Amino acid sequence: MSKIPAKPRFIFITGGVVSSLGKGLAAASLAALLQARGFKVRMRKMDPYLNIDPGTMNPTQHGEVFVTEDGAETDLDLGHYERFTGVDAKRSDNVTAGRIYSTLLSKERKGDYLGGTVQVIPHVTDLIKEFILKDTDQEDFVLCEIGGTVGDIEGLPFFEAIRQIGYKMGHSRVLYMHLTLVPYLAAAKELKTKPTQHSVKELRSIGISPDILLCRAEREIPLEERKKVALFCNLPEEAVFQALDAKSIYQVPLAYHEQGLDNQVLKHFALEAPAPDLTQWQHIVSRFEQPDGEVTVAIVGKYTGMGDAYKSLNEALDHAGIAHNVRVNQRWIDAKGFEKHDVAKKLKGVDAILVPGGFGERGVLGKIAAITYARENNIPYFGICFGMQVAAIEFARNVLGIPDATSSEFGAYEGSDARGSLIGLMTEWVKGNATEKRSHNDDLGGTMRVGAYECNIAPGSLVSKIYASKHISERHRHRYELNIAYKAEFEKAGLKITGLSPSGALPEIVELQGHPWFIGVQFHPELKSRPFAPHPLFASFVEAAIKHSHKVEKAA
Ligand code: GLN
């Protein structure tokens, strides 16, 4: 590290004992607090696994792939960061060990290290430091999280890199915050601090002494126990915080502030700042926790077993509920094995139906059946990405009478112009002034239409009212497109294409005429929804669900 920039201050967030402690949420909450105290923040995440990015990873294992404005496929924690701080994440805010090594190895092949031995230290650690420091001199704070837990073999170069940054910059510029678990043993009726002590010992063995400990616990950690942790982990007592399970994620920044976490951080850096105004957080907590009514949305999808596979979607529905002061119950229905005959039974009592993004043919018949049901029974329907494509297939099959209408994603009609080839691979599309090309032989990783693209909205359409705008920009992540050649036929039968790419070649939005709320979008609006700025499409969809529930009540 040759030159040390004047700004920013770095907060490194690490975890120990077990994974899934909610480091991302803890980091995002601290960032929100610092922001509320007037500081400019940027958040970054380093993932020590060897995939180049999470784009090809199974969402049931790894959780959703979060897409940034500038088209990066990133870890879902970046979604928390965006939602809690309102700051758009960038491609340069997430890196994996795979990406670091791939950069390093192509440099090696080019001869950049000619004559030298290429090693983890210093070459890998130097690239990690470069990632952390890049373009940060305009920020007050950079909060940088390391995925995984301390002690993981693959995490070592990352820990070494942050140690070196602390060594060079010193205490006044760097803070280490470590998140651990203090489990409760029911048999002994005791909270156990030993795992935390071991975790800190592990961290110290690689040269990092945490400045703040955040202890996740199911129950209140008594002061005595916190003092013990402080003593054995070599921290001041006021630097040990408890992170109790919260009723909702929106409570977390408030709970941290109450304990003085942001004050402790400012004290570490010898900074002063006005007290934060957290009324907007209090406002959403009270609306979220004390709603006035409820609606139920059926989500007919594939990855229904894993909580984080559709994180942004879950949250966008919650935001829309907050906007209308209702609880939005999400009834997840596995599309597989869900056929025409049990549609009415499974969807009984739901106020709206949503088919989310997805990949592959499995479960598609169940999704089609759910869409037919929504279309024929005037139940609000929201199709997102794959959910729009399947809505088009459903319409073509059941209304236009094209029984073999399908997507080339399912293998049929590849490269042919058969009549059923409704959803196909666009071989190129325009972004700004550039044309991006794709072919059937491309790698699967990094070859989708990903990131923000513009869309023109048809005047007089429902979506033009919802957005109150003629031009929008939304984030995409898909490989296939609805074939524009069907436009006239679709529109004649009532499915209007009300959103188009600026070139006019790519349908972005479809909506059904004469139905209270039936909209399909080729993009992922959930990625841009924020607790303080619910996405207009989600807000409108939930409003339609509320109206539907009132109609059903009246009829009963
Ligand atoms: N599988 C579809 C495609 O690649 C839809 C993707 C999605 O829903 N994100 O086009």
Side-chain angles (χ1 to χ4, degrees), residues 357-360 384-386 389 409 448 477-480 524:
F359 291 84
I384 295 179
C385 205
F386 197 55
Q389 297 174 355
E409 183 170 5
M448 284 191 271
R477 181 174 182 256
H478 54 101
R479 195 165 279 117
Y480 300 92
H524 287 274

Side-chain angles (χ1 to χ4, degrees), residues 428-444:
E428 56 183 52
W429 53 79
V430 179
K431 176 150 199 170
N433 294 323
T435 303
E436 305 190 2
K437 287 198 189 302
R438 299 288 183 264
S439 108
H440 291 277
N441 302 323
D442 278 343
D443 288 347
L444 281 186

Side-chain angles (χ1 to χ4, degrees), residues 392-393 395-397 400-408 413 416-424 481-497 500 504-505 507 510:
I393 293 174
F395 194 80
R397 288 189 188 176
L400 300 183
I402 310 172
D404 55 355
T406 188
S407 166
S408 31
Y413 302 114
S416 95
D417 58 357
R419 178 143 163 75
S421 184
L422 186 65
I423 316 287
E481 310 278 351
L482 172 58
N483 188 345
I484 190 76
Y486 286 84
K487 187 170 190 288
E489 206 175 338
F490 266 136
E491 298 207 331
K492 212 168 130 218
L495 191 68
K496 283 250 158 66
I497 295 177
L500 271 175
V510 298

Side-chain angles (χ1 to χ4, degrees), residues 152-187:
D152 296 346
I153 290 176
E154 56 188 16
L156 276 173
F158 292 90
F159 283 90
E160 171 60 11
I162 66 168
R163 184 196 68 77
Q164 289 183 16
I165 291 179
Y167 175 76
K168 287 275 180 182
M169 291 193 173
H171 202 66
S172 64
R173 292 284 302 281
V174 172
L175 180 151
Y176 299 102
M177 180 164 100
H178 191 55
L179 192 66
T180 69
L181 178 72
V182 175
Y184 178 77
L185 288 194

Side-chain angles (χ1 to χ4, degrees), residues 138-403:
Q138 297 305 311
E139 312 291 340
D140 294 319
F141 285 103
V142 173
L143 291 92
C144 196
E145 176 189 348
I146 300 186
T149 45
V150 61
D152 296 346
I153 290 176
E154 56 188 16
L156 276 173
F158 292 90
F159 283 90
E160 171 60 11
I162 66 168
R163 184 196 68 77
Q164 289 183 16
I165 291 179
Y167 175 76
K168 287 275 180 182
M169 291 193 173
H171 202 66
S172 64
R173 292 284 302 281
V174 172
L175 180 151
Y176 299 102
M177 180 164 100
H178 191 55
L179 192 66
T180 69
L181 178 72
V182 175
Y184 178 77
L185 288 194
K189 291 201 182 60
E190 258 182 275
L191 280 161
K192 291 293 182 191
T193 63
K194 192 70 95 194
T196 294
Q197 295 176 40
H198 278 294
S199 179
V200 171
K201 198 169 152 201
E202 184 79 36
L203 200 55
R204 293 176 68 198
S205 77
I206 50 178
I208 297 171
S209 296
D211 301 298
I212 287 182
L213 268 188
L214 208 52
C215 305
R216 283 295 310 270
E218 274 173 59
R219 314 182 167 219
E220 198 71 42
I221 310 173
L223 185 62
E224 277 315 302
E225 294 300 307
R226 269 181 278 156
K227 280 187 177 169
K228 193 164 105 189
V229 171
L231 178 66
F232 294 135
C233 297
N234 208 32
L235 277 100
E237 279 163 36
E238 67 271 19
V240 179
F241 294 87
Q242 51 180 356
L244 298 175
D245 293 349
K247 245 198 194 154
S248 75
I249 57 169
Y250 310 112
Q251 266 192 1
V252 178
L254 296 170
Y256 287 177
H257 175 67
E258 252 166 52
Q259 288 186 69
L261 179 66
D262 43 326
N263 277 339
Q264 185 63 23
V265 169
L266 297 187
K267 192 169 149 200
H268 171 97
F269 290 115
L271 285 172
E272 279 182 20
D277 177 3
L278 299 174
T279 39
Q280 59 169 3
W281 286 97
Q282 283 147 356
H283 177 70
I284 53 168
V285 165
S286 73
R287 277 178 86 97
F288 187 69
E289 290 175 8
Q290 290 141 37
D292 184 15
E294 59 184 329
V295 289
T296 299
V297 175
I299 303 169
V300 185
K302 192 166 78 169
Y303 310 119
T304 49
M306 198 264 186
D308 281 345
Y310 285 100
K311 197 79 208 154
S312 296
L313 176 66
N314 307 142
E315 305 247 330
L317 286 165
D318 283 347
H319 303 160
I322 291 170
H324 292 289
N325 212 12
V326 292
R327 172 179 300 121
V328 179
N329 302 315
Q330 303 180 16
R331 188 188 298 172
W332 283 82
I333 295 172
D334 190 353
K336 206 179 73 181
F338 168 67
E339 300 278 343
K340 257 190 177 148
H341 59 269
D342 57 8
V343 169
K345 199 171 79 213
K346 285 225 172 125
L347 295 176
K348 191 165 180 278
V350 306
D351 304 305
I353 296 168
L354 190 153
V355 173
F359 291 84
E361 192 171 10
R362 196 162 61 86
V364 79
L365 288 177
K367 294 177 191 182
I368 289 178
I371 296 169
T372 310
Y373 185 76
R375 185 173 55 75
E376 290 178 344
N377 294 287
N378 283 331
I379 299 169
Y381 173 72
F382 196 4
I384 295 179
C385 205
F386 197 55
M388 160 176 151
Q389 297 174 355
V390 182
I393 293 174
E394 190 279 331
F395 194 80
R397 288 189 188 176
N398 297 334
V399 180
L400 300 183
I402 310 172

